[in-house]
Amino acid sequence: MYCCKVTTLKSPPNLPHSKQRRMSVSFSHFSIPFSESSIASSISLSTGAANNFQLLRGSCLVLHGGASDLYQRFRGLKLRILKRLNRRQHVPANDLKRIRNQDKDQPENPSRNDEQISEAASTIPLSNGSTEDHTRTTSQPKKSTLPPLVQTNSSNLNVDDNHERPSLCIAVIGATGELAKNKIFPALFALYYSGFLPENVGIFGYSRKDLTDEDLRSLIASTLTCRIDHQQNCGDKMDAFLSRTYYLNGGYDNKEGMSKLNSRMEQIEAGYPASRIFYLSVPHEALPDVASSLADNAQTKKGWNRIIIEKPFGFDAVSSQLFTKSLLSKFEEKQIYRIDHLLGRNLIENLTVLRFSNLVFEPLWSRTYIRNVQVILSEDLSMPLGRYFDGYGVIRDIVHSHILQTIALLAMEPPISLDGEDIRNEKVKVLRSIRNLEPSDVILGQYKATSGDKVDVSLSSRTPTFFAAALCIDNARWDGVPFMIKAGVGLIKHRVEIRIQFNSVPGNLYRERIGHNTDLATNELILRDEPDEAILVKINNKIPGLGLNLDASELNLLYKDKYNVEVPDSYEHLLLDVIDGDNHLFLRSDELAAAWNILTPVLQWIDQNNIAPELYELGGRGPVGSYYLWAKHGVWWADD
């Protein structure tokens, strides 16, 4: 238990009553002045604060708790008091969110020194614009050990007196690979340029190549671009970002390499607290050793640690389970972010917004009104395949994470809040409710390529490049509604969309006008990501004129016409979520296992029966069998 002396400062009698008596509490890194009349209300802003801070008689502020967690409690009190006093220096809501997320990730026993906590001090403006200085009486100044907040350009909150010391460090493991050069580093610079990274961030590249800091900077400089919608100070920002980028040759011993990385990061951090993010952009066979070595040798004890892992997440249920077990033996679940860049698209983020914030959609979201749901992802010849695709195929690469996660977000029950864990709790319920796939409800395909085609022709004879299936969700909301999947590469066009087809109107008075093909008159909600992002609603409408002729028309919201902004890359979106601690678009371990349970029977059937995929023309529409599958479930196939 700690006690802070509350002193009463007397003022000349000619001052206004509100300024005649002021009280000041000085503790830890902060010195917070406030009026005597507001002290009780400021301290008792919440039940949690009241339990940890008590104002006793004799002008003594008593703070309950040990030194290890005292900082976080006092930090929360500081924010509440600053909000209550209406400080001129406003703290944006995004910064408050980041503060809360950082607090959740603080280690249980942070390495703080009681003496440093009790001797630290600062100056905070009063609500009337004046300041009151409180300095230490010790002759030897000591650096603060309080973790600085993540800063953005939109905030004037100064949390780190030393601009050069990073409050956040990001290490890209596998920094010389194509993914790192073309996606990760450009996304990090875009966030830095737009003000979503601290000005003093530290970026570290790690690989086995013998390079210098300057070599890495030259390697990635050509891939960095500035926003189209605001290119002010682009060159200066790029130079500042590159100057904070460092390289380390990790060699072939990951344990030794991670120890070197830790030493280099500590050298840049110079003893100041800083949180760390590790992006593991390495071959999947190397992941277990890299992750284990990182956990043992490169984590900081002066902030939170988070790791990012790229898909696919295992080859099958057994390998995935073993890797998950290995990860959880070294990291907590909240530290692990399994990233799928397709889930960072605006279409996916907009699913919950459309459904839960629009009364026009929410009452219709069930088997009562919805006839079928189609999730379509087709990639044309311009989309290169990853090195790992051969052997993994479209099922493990695209269906397991992107398609099933899209269905989970689309079909889940309303979460109790927008907190990441609450959303993931509802997603996993949907995945566990999906019936195991039957071979009769699955179509496999593989494109036919020749040496003249500019695509990977080294695929094995059983590597599927196309997958179509009919999923059933066995719960009260979706019983009997087929969820049709179509995912393939090497098709006629690039297309990513969700089509929700509604039931026909019972006893439709205009049936004779519509004709026999009632499918063409079905209401549809189309959520399109590619080729042009849009939201379309297909309705039946009377054609203008003297006759009574009906037409299926589209009400459309085309994003490029409505919003004159540049759409961020999906890696930017997901990396910012990692920094903010927002994990709702990242697979949790139980979600991962539930997804494998859905697909494992099909994968075993393919392997045990040596099933060969149906061939289709490269640049075509996919296997013919997929059309029959759609017809079998009474689904009208949308024209490509």
Side-chain angles (χ1 to χ4, degrees):
M1 183 175 72
Y2 296 85
C3 181
C4 301
K5 189 66 176 178
V6 181
T7 59
T8 301
L9 305 179
K10 296 184 179 180
S11 302
N14 57 341
L15 289 180
H17 177 73
S18 60
K19 298 182 180 181
Q20 284 185 10
R21 300 187 67 201
R22 291 194 174 272
M23 302 179 68
S24 175
V25 174
S26 180
F27 186 82
S28 184
H29 185 69
F30 311 107
S31 175
I32 306 176
F34 44 86
S35 63
E36 183 177 17
S37 61
S38 65
I39 181 171
S41 59
S42 296
I43 293 177
S44 59
L45 290 175
S46 68
T47 303
N51 291 335
N52 298 320
F53 300 86
Q54 295 182 9
L55 185 65
L56 303 182
R57 293 183 179 179
S59 299
C60 184
L61 181 62
V62 178
L63 294 84
H64 297 277
S68 61
D69 66 347
L70 186 58
Y71 159 68
Q72 294 191 28
R73 296 176 177 177
F74 195 82
R75 184 186 195 183
L77 174 65
K78 174 196 172 187
L79 290 175
R80 294 186 183 97
I81 292 176
L82 294 182
K83 290 171 65 177
R84 188 60 174 260
L85 294 178
N86 295 319
R87 289 183 56 190
R88 290 193 308 173
Q89 191 170 2
H90 175 61
V91 181
N94 287 340
D95 286 346
L96 295 176
K97 174 185 174 184
R98 291 193 176 104
I99 293 169
R100 288 194 296 270
N101 286 328
Q102 288 175 351
D103 286 342
K104 288 193 294 185
D105 287 304
Q106 292 296 329
E108 293 183 2
N109 296 306
S111 56
R112 298 192 182 92
N113 185 285
D114 290 349
E115 183 180 1
Q116 290 174 321
I117 292 178
S118 62
E119 292 180 354
S122 67
T123 300
I124 296 179
L126 299 175
S127 58
N128 63 0
S130 62
T131 60
E132 188 169 324
D133 295 332
H134 299 264
T135 58
R136 290 190 293 264
T137 57
T138 56
S139 57
Q140 180 77 20
K142 296 187 178 182
K143 65 188 175 209
S144 168
T145 61
L146 302 180
L149 312 181
V150 174
Q151 301 179 58
T152 69
N153 286 348
S154 61
S155 171
N156 295 322
L157 183 64
N158 185 15
V159 294
D160 192 354
D161 292 335
N162 194 330
H163 176 73
E164 298 300 320
R165 307 305 178 190
S167 57
L168 174 67
C169 290
I170 303 173
V172 180
I173 314 300
T176 56
E178 293 300 315
L179 177 63
K181 290 187 295 183
N182 297 326
K183 290 294 184 181
I184 302 175
F185 284 116
L188 289 173
F189 172 66
L191 292 175
Y192 182 82
Y193 178 70
S194 300
F196 290 103
L197 291 183
E199 288 288 343
N200 56 9
V201 67
I203 307 294
F204 297 81
Y206 176 103
S207 78
R208 293 175 174 176
K209 292 186 178 180
D210 189 13
L211 303 176
T212 64
D213 292 348
E214 289 302 324
D215 291 335
L216 178 64
R217 292 163 185 170
S218 299
L219 185 67
I220 66 176
S222 60
T223 67
L224 306 183
T225 58
C226 294
R227 286 273 183 244
I228 295 175
D229 48 359
H230 50 90
Q231 295 198 4
Q232 299 176 355
N233 303 320
C234 179
D236 294 340
K237 280 287 188 180
M238 192 173 295
D239 292 340
F241 177 80
L242 292 173
S243 70
R244 305 201 63 80
T245 303
Y246 313 95
Y247 180 78
L248 181 75
N249 178 2
Y252 289 87
D253 186 336
N254 285 321
K255 293 182 179 179
E256 181 180 354
M258 290 300 168
S259 296
K260 292 179 180 178
L261 176 62
N262 181 61
S263 299
R264 184 70 190 277
M265 296 174 88
E266 287 182 340
Q267 178 186 2
I268 301 300
E269 294 165 356
Y272 285 74
S275 298
R276 296 178 182 177
I277 294 175
F278 300 89
Y279 198 124
L280 275 57
S281 177
V282 299
H284 295 86
E285 58 271 18
L287 274 175
D289 183 56
V290 171
S292 177
S293 300
L294 186 159
D296 293 336
N297 300 284
Q299 293 195 87
T300 181
K301 296 181 180 179
K302 298 180 179 180
W304 47 256
N305 299 272
R306 295 170 185 163
I307 64 168
I308 304 174
I309 300 172
E310 275 277 353
K311 68 176 178 68
F313 309 115
F315 183 79
D316 52 24
V318 175
S319 63
S320 177
Q321 183 179 12
L322 290 175
F323 183 45
T324 297
K325 184 177 180 180
S326 173
L327 281 177
L328 293 179
S329 69
K330 298 291 185 178
F331 300 95
E332 297 180 35
E333 181 69 57
K334 66 181 180 180
Q335 295 179 266
I336 304 170
Y337 289 75
R338 299 176 179 89
I339 190 172
D340 180 349
H341 73 280
L342 293 172
L343 295 175
R345 303 291 297 181
N346 189 64
L347 167 68
I348 302 301
E349 185 71 9
N350 205 24
L351 283 179
T352 53
V353 176
L354 281 174
R355 177 179 170 189
F356 298 125
S357 68
N358 292 287
L359 185 60
V360 69
F361 295 133
E362 174 59 18
L364 307 180
W365 222 257
S366 71
R367 62 190 296 272
T368 305
Y369 298 101
I370 292 179
R371 181 177 177 182
N372 65 76
V373 177
Q374 302 176 46
V375 180
I376 301 168
L377 189 153
S378 64
E379 296 182 346
D380 58 16
L381 305 182
S382 65
M383 304 300 293
L385 299 179
R387 180 192 65 81
Y388 56 81
F389 194 88
D390 187 25
Y392 282 86
V394 69
I395 302 176
R396 296 174 172 93
D397 179 49
I398 297 176
V399 177
H400 175 265
S401 56
H402 173 67
I403 297 294
L404 291 182
Q405 283 288 298
T406 300
I407 291 175
L409 284 166
L410 186 74
M412 70 180 184
E413 296 298 316
I416 61 175
S417 77
L418 293 178
D419 179 77
E421 291 305 317
D422 291 334
I423 293 176
R424 298 206 289 188
N425 288 341
E426 298 303 329
K427 285 195 299 176
V428 76
K429 291 177 184 177
V430 174
L431 294 174
R432 288 172 176 170
S433 299
I434 295 178
R435 190 185 309 167
N436 288 346
L437 280 171
E438 296 292 336
S440 59
D441 285 332
V442 172
I443 299 296
L444 301 176
Q446 185 185 72
Y447 60 66
K448 294 186 295 184
T450 64
S451 58
D453 296 317
K454 296 180 180 180
V455 295
D456 185 357
V457 296
S458 62
L459 296 172
S460 70
S461 60
R462 291 193 299 152
T463 300
T465 60
F466 180 97
F467 178 84
L471 291 180
C472 296
I473 301 177
D474 293 330
N475 62 22
R477 182 182 290 270
W478 298 108
D479 185 25
V481 177
F483 283 74
M484 310 302 294
I485 296 172
K486 175 187 172 185
V489 298
L491 298 173
I492 189 172
K493 65 189 297 186
H494 188 53
R495 179 182 177 201
V496 181
E497 68 181 23
I498 300 168
R499 304 181 78 99
I500 300 170
Q501 293 184 351
F502 293 91
N503 291 323
S504 299
V505 177
N508 195 333
L509 297 175
Y510 295 95
R511 180 180 298 274
E512 295 181 359
R513 302 289 179 177
I514 294 174
H516 295 289
N517 192 355
T518 57
D519 286 330
L520 296 179
T522 300
N523 297 133
E524 270 191 298
L525 171 63
I526 303 170
L527 311 177
R528 179 174 296 160
D529 184 66
E530 294 283 350
D532 292 313
E533 189 170 1
I535 299 174
L536 311 173
V537 179
K538 193 173 81 170
I539 63 169
N540 296 317
N541 184 54
K542 178 186 176 298
I543 299 175
L546 297 178
L548 186 58
N549 299 315
L550 303 187
D551 178 50
S553 305
E554 288 183 348
L555 307 178
N556 66 76
L557 167 62
L558 196 61
Y559 276 61
K560 66 180 182 181
D561 293 338
K562 175 65 175 179
Y563 304 107
N564 186 27
V565 296
E566 182 181 5
V567 179
D569 184 77
S570 57
Y571 278 95
E572 297 176 40
H573 185 176
L574 293 173
L575 281 169
L576 182 59
D577 283 349
V578 175
I579 294 168
D580 287 344
D582 184 352
N583 54 16
H584 81 282
L585 292 177
F586 300 85
L587 275 73
R588 201 167 60 189
S589 296
D590 53 353
E591 291 182 83
L592 194 65
W596 279 119
N597 288 339
I598 298 168
L599 299 174
T600 293
V602 171
L603 295 172
Q604 291 177 344
W605 169 70
I606 295 172
D607 293 337
Q608 293 171 2
N609 296 281
N610 198 26
I611 302 298
E614 178 184 343
L615 297 178
Y616 61 93
E617 291 291 335
L618 186 64
R621 298 179 182 273
V624 175
S626 57
Y627 289 85
Y628 289 104
L629 178 63
W630 252 242
K632 172 185 172 181
H633 289 273
V635 179
W636 167 54
W637 181 282
D639 187 18
D640 289 309

